[in-house]
Amino acid sequence: TDFLGQDSSFGGLSLNLDATATESAGEKLVDLDALLASGSEDKAEGLPTLSVLDAHLPPTPAASQEPVADELSELPDLDSWSLEPLPGEEASLPLAGPPKASETLTKRVQPVPEPTTSLEDLSLSFDDLGLVPLEGEQAPPPMVRRSPPAPAVKVPSARPPATPRKPSPAAAAPAPAPAPAASSAGPRKIVILGASIGGPDSIRDFLSRLNTDLHGAFILVQHMGAEFLDLMAQQLDRVSPLAVNLARHGHAIREGEVVIAPVGQRLRIDEDCKLDLSADAGPTAYSPSIDQVLSDSLERWGADRLLVIIFSGMASDAVEGSKQLAAAGTPIWAQDPASCVISSMVDGVVAAKVVNFIGSPEQLAEQANRLLA
């Protein structure tokens, strides 16, 4: 067989042989198997020289994956297995895989029971806790729950027997102190305030500056419609340290109080110092009438227990009554005409030359505080 110049394979070995002839005369057949088996490095005379140009092993084919896949497919399905517990063992819980996305895991939570006993309800001692006091020490008393303190009860402070600033109309009148200058009981002084147009503002300024502990009762005679008297009383009461009330039949007049004369009724004070409104005012040009109240007061109290103060107004009312009381010795005061809204009534009293003191409402209040202190 001629292998020269050809690739040959022997047991997986690929050879590329090349031979150079020693003799050109002819060709000889070479036993290649014997040559290779001899292992001789000597060259036979007349034999061609063989040289291995290259030799290489064929690449080993990659292991096929198909047999592995086939082996796995032959394994049994673990999900189909049913494991029974051995004797003496408890069955284990099944192995559960992760929850599916469509499944919702829920857990029932049992409510925590409320404690039936709190720390405050416990009464413990050293013996209960197993504690022993050191030598020379005493065991503390047992811890006992303390009851919550009772709410504080506000106890009204005792009021002095003196007349309160603004007593309730329904409250009983305290026993008045006897007046030193008169035989009958009642306030030491009765101050009569006469006013008309512009009077409410002047009266407000006057009352707001009075002291609370004056020894005198005030009677306000204001020319005004009956429907406005209650509103005026409320407004004056807010600014005055003295109680301001509408006159009521049977009300006992007392110190530290202002009473407003009613419309259409005659205001008198009986022997018990109570207001008497039973009689009609009679034929008077004004209601209430300042002159009528001045005349009745002089008859009841006398000149020494009275004080008259005339404020802003447009009328001749109060002129005749001021003359009558001034003649008996009662002091007459008047608001300064410069501070009056309308000074007609003040001008009439001043013209009668019966006025002892003239001042603004504030000055009149200062003078009254000194006189009635």
Side-chain angles (χ1 to χ4, degrees), residues 2-187:
D2 187 5
F3 293 99
L4 297 179
Q6 297 182 7
D7 292 336
S8 299
S9 297
F10 299 92
L13 176 65
S14 178
L15 298 177
N16 186 2
L17 301 179
D18 188 11
T20 304
T22 58
E23 294 182 2
S24 59
E27 297 178 355
K28 293 181 180 182
L29 296 176
V30 179
D31 187 355
L32 183 60
D33 293 333
L35 178 63
L36 294 175
S38 64
S40 175
E41 295 180 356
D42 296 334
K43 297 181 180 180
E45 181 181 357
L47 294 180
T49 300
L50 299 179
S51 62
V52 181
L53 299 181
D54 56 13
H56 62 276
L57 294 175
T60 303
S64 174
Q65 301 297 330
E66 293 180 358
V68 178
D70 294 340
E71 293 178 1
L72 292 178
S73 62
E74 295 176 0
L75 294 177
D77 186 4
L78 295 180
D79 295 337
S80 62
W81 289 9
S82 176
L83 303 179
E84 298 295 335
L86 297 176
E89 292 184 347
E90 295 182 357
S92 60
L93 296 177
L95 298 177
K100 299 180 180 181
S102 59
E103 297 180 353
T104 303
L105 299 180
T106 60
K107 180 179 180 182
R108 178 177 298 176
V109 179
Q110 297 295 335
V112 179
E114 294 290 337
T116 58
T117 305
S118 63
L119 293 178
E120 295 180 352
D121 296 330
L122 298 178
S123 178
L124 302 177
S125 64
F126 255 39
D127 296 337
D128 296 331
L129 298 177
L131 302 178
V132 179
L134 298 177
E135 183 178 357
E137 294 184 346
Q138 295 182 356
M143 296 180 291
V144 182
R145 181 184 178 183
R146 298 180 180 179
S147 302
V153 179
K154 184 177 180 181
V155 180
S157 58
R159 294 179 177 268
T163 304
R165 173 185 167 269
K166 293 186 179 182
S168 173
S183 59
S184 61

Side-chain angles (χ1 to χ4, degrees), residues 38-331:
S38 64
S40 175
E41 295 180 356
D42 296 334
K43 297 181 180 180
E45 181 181 357
L47 294 180
T49 300
L50 299 179
S51 62
V52 181
L53 299 181
D54 56 13
H56 62 276
L57 294 175
T60 303
S64 174
Q65 301 297 330
E66 293 180 358
V68 178
D70 294 340
E71 293 178 1
L72 292 178
S73 62
E74 295 176 0
L75 294 177
D77 186 4
L78 295 180
D79 295 337
S80 62
W81 289 9
S82 176
L83 303 179
E84 298 295 335
L86 297 176
E89 292 184 347
E90 295 182 357
S92 60
L93 296 177
L95 298 177
K100 299 180 180 181
S102 59
E103 297 180 353
T104 303
L105 299 180
T106 60
K107 180 179 180 182
R108 178 177 298 176
V109 179
Q110 297 295 335
V112 179
E114 294 290 337
T116 58
T117 305
S118 63
L119 293 178
E120 295 180 352
D121 296 330
L122 298 178
S123 178
L124 302 177
S125 64
F126 255 39
D127 296 337
D128 296 331
L129 298 177
L131 302 178
V132 179
L134 298 177
E135 183 178 357
E137 294 184 346
Q138 295 182 356
M143 296 180 291
V144 182
R145 181 184 178 183
R146 298 180 180 179
S147 302
V153 179
K154 184 177 180 181
V155 180
S157 58
R159 294 179 177 268
T163 304
R165 173 185 167 269
K166 293 186 179 182
S168 173
S183 59
S184 61
R188 181 188 304 178
K189 281 284 186 180
I190 303 295
V191 183
I192 301 174
L193 311 176
S196 183
I197 298 177
D201 290 339
S202 300
I203 296 295
R204 179 189 59 201
D205 296 339
F206 171 78
L207 294 179
S208 65
R209 286 167 174 78
L210 291 179
N211 297 333
T212 58
D213 55 350
L214 300 181
H215 297 286
F218 296 79
I219 299 176
L220 172 58
V221 186
Q222 170 71 51
H223 291 171
M224 182 177 287
E227 65 273 18
F228 301 109
L229 289 181
D230 184 62
L231 178 60
M232 181 183 68
Q234 297 177 20
Q235 293 176 348
L236 295 178
D237 187 70
R238 292 192 189 102
V239 301
S240 172
L242 308 181
V244 180
N245 300 299
L246 295 177
R248 299 186 316 278
H249 181 76
H251 174 69
I253 190 172
R254 52 200 167 193
E255 294 180 351
E257 181 183 18
V258 180
V259 174
I260 300 178
V263 176
Q265 292 178 300
R266 188 169 185 172
L267 186 148
R268 292 177 178 175
I269 302 176
D270 60 16
E271 296 178 355
D272 297 328
C273 298
K274 295 182 178 180
L275 299 179
D276 183 3
L277 307 178
S278 61
D280 187 84
T284 58
Y286 307 98
S287 181
S289 172
I290 301 174
D291 285 334
Q292 187 179 71
V293 173
L294 292 178
S295 178
D296 292 340
S297 298
L298 178 60
E299 180 181 352
R300 166 65 178 85
W301 300 102
D304 295 338
R305 307 239 341 235
L306 298 178
L307 171 64
V308 178
I309 305 177
I310 305 301
F311 291 90
S312 174
M314 183 182 67
S316 59
D317 194 15
V319 176
E320 295 299 325
S322 296
K323 291 180 179 180
Q324 181 182 2
L325 269 67
T330 300

